[in-house]
Amino acid sequence: MIVVELSDRPGQLARIITPLAECGCNILNIHHVRELEKEDTARVEIAFEADNKVNVDTVVESLSREGVTIISYSPNIQTFRETVILIGHVFTTDITDTIIQIANSGIQVASVDARITLIEEFSSVKMVLQSNSEEKLSKGVELLKQICKRKNLYLIRSVRE
Amino acid sequence: MRIAVIGFGTVSKSLLKVLAEKSKLILNAYGVEIKTVAVFKRDGAFINNNGLDLERIVNSQNYRNEVDWVNSADFNKLAGELNCDCAVELTPTNVETSEPGLSHIKTALEQNMDVVTANKGPLALYYPELMDLANQVKKRILFEATVAGAIPIFNLVRNTLRANKIISVKGILNGTTNYILSRMTSEKLPFKIVLKEAQKLGFAEADPSYDVDGIDAAAKLVILSNALLKQECRFKDVNRQGIKDITPEAIELARKDGFLIKHLATNENGVLEVAPRLVEVDSSFAVNGSLNVVKLQTDLAKDLTLIGRGAGGVETASSVLNDIIEIAILRR
Ligand SMILES: NC(=O)c1ccc[n+]([C@@H]2O[C@H](COP(=O)([O-])OP(=O)(O)OC[C@H]3O[C@@H](n4cnc5c(N)ncnc54)[C@H](OP(=O)(O)O)[C@@H]3O)[C@@H](O)[C@H]2O)c1
């Protein structure tokens, strides 16, 4: 996980993605934090996955060469995922809003897979939620539970063993 | 030991049959003699102070003509005169009032009897009160058959995990919903069709809500939580979600990623919940048909999983009879 500071202009994300990809890293999650007091910069948290051969120092070095301001980095990047299924009027209750609400809580909706029958009938939607912290993930799932309750959707969560 | 059995249905008849067959074996193995002196129905009872002929009453074509039949005999009124050591409560479960079981159990304790029961209602609603009452009168209530039929979960913990702390419990506690979900998965059929099929085969009741809405599993989870996690809780404390809304499409989506949908009862961090959950296809919950699963997380022994039959007359009688023998041994 690397946290960097970028100016809040278009095209800035490419400055970090390209060096990371060149180092052989697989980017799992990018989280943009806009700080109120700093209007022209944004803090960006990047969670990535890399095999053992990739050295975090090399990654940091190549980012510095690009002129990116690195706020912090930690070598242990772990991602936590939970698969969930929603049943009901998932689309007519605004699925985009559902996803945005979850994303705003700091966890990523990594994938969405849906089975739609007739629009007036129930659809079934699978989502994979992802986060770099187990606690955040649990909170995200808890939030989704509340959203589903409000939107009258039936939620099936995974069970931890 | 003298016992009175209340109820003469599926479980009771299986118990009486097994008692008739095995009482010599039990006497030889444990040195205890179990004598059934009364068996109660709603409209009366078989009573014989010297012990009933169990084979005869179980096979009786017209019970009202049996010599030992006493019309309108009622356990609550007669308990004081039966001179019994143990009452075996096997009347239907009721999660709204828990009667008639609750009164039977209280009467038995007050009349100085230990109690064995397969009836979930009284314990799901009044576990703390009933255990307090039993302690006051220095009697026991054993209830192995109330949860997961033949699976000896309470005995396992009581007798073989004595120093362990039970951290969490999870399980598939209802055979009917497990059967329905298994069929929906293997046949790719909708809930309604599989339910009809289960009703035809006798796996589901005409009014299926007790099973498919998770009421039965919730009652069992409450008993597990009180007894194993030492958490005082009641039926109303369970968050409950049934299986009626599960679609074949949801099952297919789950399968694509290596998951099955199972109806799980869980108590984690004190939160009681019965709900459909995604479990990995190679998980210990990936058990099909009407089987039950109970999984414990403990501090010393770590994880333990038991799989077995959750219902059936003889299977349930196995647990009831073991409790009766345990009480007989303790009273010897
Ligand atoms: N069946 C299973 O596989 C299973 C598994 C685990 C636990 N259990 C539990 O075990 C209990 C018995 O189940 P079951 O399947 O044997 O039930 P069942 O076949 O419906 O039998 C119930 C019996 O209780 C009698 N009864 C009802 N009210 C009574 C009263 N006030 N006084 C005396 N007797 C009364 C009935 O009398 P009549 O004969 O006069 O109708 C009947 O004989 C239930 O609580 C059930 O939840 C059952």
Side-chain angles (χ1 to χ4, degrees):
Chain A
M1 164 95 127
I2 289 195
V3 183
V4 300
E5 194 172 79
L6 288 181
S7 55
D8 204 2
R9 281 182 283 125
Q12 294 305 302
L13 222 45
R15 289 175 61 204
I16 43 179
I17 292 173
T18 318
L20 279 173
E22 278 168 0
C23 291
C25 300
N26 178 23
I27 296 172
L28 297 171
N29 188 5
I30 298 184
H31 186 50
H32 234 88
V33 190
R34 283 200 179 78
E35 286 163 285
L36 286 176
E37 61 271 27
K38 294 184 185 170
E39 267 182 19
D40 50 347
T41 61
R43 200 157 58 95
V44 181
E45 302 170 357
I46 308 137
F48 61 88
E49 203 171 49
D51 57 28
N52 296 333
K53 277 172 281 168
V54 182
N55 187 332
V56 183
D57 292 337
T58 350
V59 177
V60 171
E61 237 169 67
S62 66
L63 283 174
S64 311
R65 264 203 307 276
E66 279 292 318
V68 177
T69 318
I70 294 163
I71 299 171
S72 73
Y73 70 90
S74 59
N76 44 351
I77 31 118
Q78 210 181 347
T79 44
F80 299 89
R81 292 190 184 89
E82 177 157 344
T83 304
V84 297
I85 292 178
L86 286 71
I87 303 173
H89 298 296
V90 186
F91 290 89
T92 50
T93 55
D94 197 351
I95 189 170
T96 320
D97 166 75
T98 307
I99 293 172
I100 289 173
Q101 282 196 52
I102 300 166
N104 282 345
S105 80
I107 68 170
Q108 193 198 0
V109 179
S111 77
V112 177
D113 192 355
R115 292 286 176 280
I116 310 159
T117 41
L118 296 165
I119 199 76
E120 65 271 16
E121 278 180 22
F122 279 3
S123 42
S124 310
V125 177
K126 177 172 66 194
M127 290 184 188
V128 178
L129 309 183
Q130 183 173 292
S131 171
N132 51 20
S133 112
E134 201 167 5
E135 204 193 324
K136 261 194 210 166
L137 184 61
S138 305
K139 280 197 182 138
V141 174
E142 199 48 46
L143 172 70
L144 182 59
K145 222 165 127 183
Q146 303 305 326
I147 298 173
C148 286
K149 208 169 180 184
R150 260 199 320 275
K151 296 190 174 181
N152 209 8
L153 302 174
Y154 184 89
L155 174 69
I156 307 177
R157 289 162 299 137
S158 299
V159 74
R160 299 260 161 75
E161 283 203 57
Chain B
M1 182 173 80
R2 293 164 64 88
I3 67 170
V5 178
I6 313 150
F8 190 55
T10 311
V11 177
S12 174
K13 283 179 185 160
S14 298
L15 171 72
L16 299 176
K17 251 185 235 166
V18 178
L19 266 175
E21 280 166 26
K22 298 208 178 205
S23 55
K24 280 226 177 68
L25 194 143
I26 294 167
L27 178 62
N28 289 339
Y30 307 104
V32 295
E33 193 183 352
I34 292 153
K35 193 181 275 182
T36 310
V37 295
V39 176
F40 289 84
K41 282 171 66 75
R42 270 176 299 186
D43 55 344
F46 305 99
I47 303 176
N48 188 322
N49 195 37
N50 298 317
L52 290 161
D53 181 344
L54 299 179
E55 219 177 291
R56 183 172 162 158
I57 64 166
V58 169
N59 294 317
S60 169
Q61 296 301 312
N62 189 345
Y63 64 89
R64 287 166 167 270
N65 289 343
E66 287 296 327
V67 283
D68 292 331
W69 178 256
V70 181
N71 245 338
S72 34
D74 176 72
F75 176 76
N76 292 328
K77 291 189 187 121
L78 279 182
E81 297 160 35
L82 291 170
N83 199 16
C84 277
D85 307 302
C86 176
V88 183
E89 219 294 330
L90 304 174
T91 65
T93 290
N94 174 329
V95 289
E96 266 135 40
T97 65
S98 76
E99 291 294 3
L102 180 66
S103 300
H104 292 152
I105 294 176
K106 283 185 174 167
T107 304
L109 292 171
E110 282 155 6
Q111 294 298 333
N112 227 16
M113 295 180 216
D114 288 308
V115 172
V116 170
T117 185
N119 183 349
K120 295 163 277 274
L123 294 172
L125 267 59
Y126 301 107
Y127 189 98
E129 288 86 349
L130 286 172
M131 291 305 156
D132 279 353
L133 179 59
N135 283 337
Q136 271 170 35
V137 297
K138 300 198 167 56
K139 289 286 162 283
R140 290 175 198 86
I141 306 177
L142 296 186
F143 46 87
E144 187 61 73
T146 56
V147 178
I151 299 180
I153 187 70
F154 300 112
N155 276 281
L156 179 83
V157 174
R158 189 167 64 237
N159 296 317
T160 59
L161 296 172
R162 290 184 216 259
N164 278 266
K165 178 182 161 59
I166 311 299
I167 299 161
S168 76
V169 55
K170 301 191 187 95
I172 297 176
L173 304 179
N174 183 277
T176 305
T177 53
N178 200 30
Y179 172 83
I180 292 173
L181 290 175
S182 302
R183 290 287 292 172
M184 285 177 72
T185 308
S186 64
E187 307 303 313
K188 303 186 165 62
L189 287 170
F191 171 78
K192 277 189 185 140
I193 290 177
V194 177
L195 173 65
K196 279 219 179 83
E197 174 197 273
Q199 285 168 327
K200 252 189 218 147
L201 291 169
F203 291 148
E205 303 288 328
D207 172 11
S209 61
Y210 188 68
D211 295 314
V212 302
D213 293 341
I215 297 169
D216 174 68
K220 291 167 176 167
L221 181 62
V222 169
I223 303 175
L224 283 173
S225 301
N226 276 289
L228 303 186
L229 301 176
K230 312 289 175 216
Q231 179 182 348
E232 274 200 14
C233 55
R234 287 162 210 279
F235 184 72
K236 62 172 171 38
D237 300 326
V238 185
N239 293 321
R240 188 158 52 79
Q241 194 179 352
I243 64 163
K244 280 181 193 155
D245 289 330
I246 293 174
T247 58
E249 293 80 22
I251 293 177
E252 184 211 323
L253 282 169
R255 280 291 290 267
K256 244 178 86 183
D257 281 5
F259 292 107
L260 295 170
I261 299 179
K262 292 285 176 190
H263 203 207
L264 290 198
T266 54
N267 185 333
E268 286 181 282
N269 307 318
V271 180
L272 287 85
E273 191 165 5
V274 172
R277 302 291 282 268
L278 299 173
V279 308
E280 282 169 23
V281 285
D282 56 359
S283 117
S284 41
F285 296 118
V287 170
N288 287 332
S290 62
L291 286 171
N292 283 21
V293 182
V294 182
K295 183 167 184 169
L296 297 178
Q297 195 192 354
T298 74
D299 63 343
L300 307 178
K302 304 295 185 278
D303 289 0
L304 285 164
T305 305
L306 281 82
I307 300 171
R309 303 233 175 139
V314 186
E315 292 85 343
T316 309
S318 159
S319 289
V320 174
L321 184 51
N322 190 72
D323 282 351
I324 297 172
I325 295 171
E326 177 159 342
I327 287 182
I329 292 172
L330 290 167
R331 292 183 73 111
R332 203 166 38 187

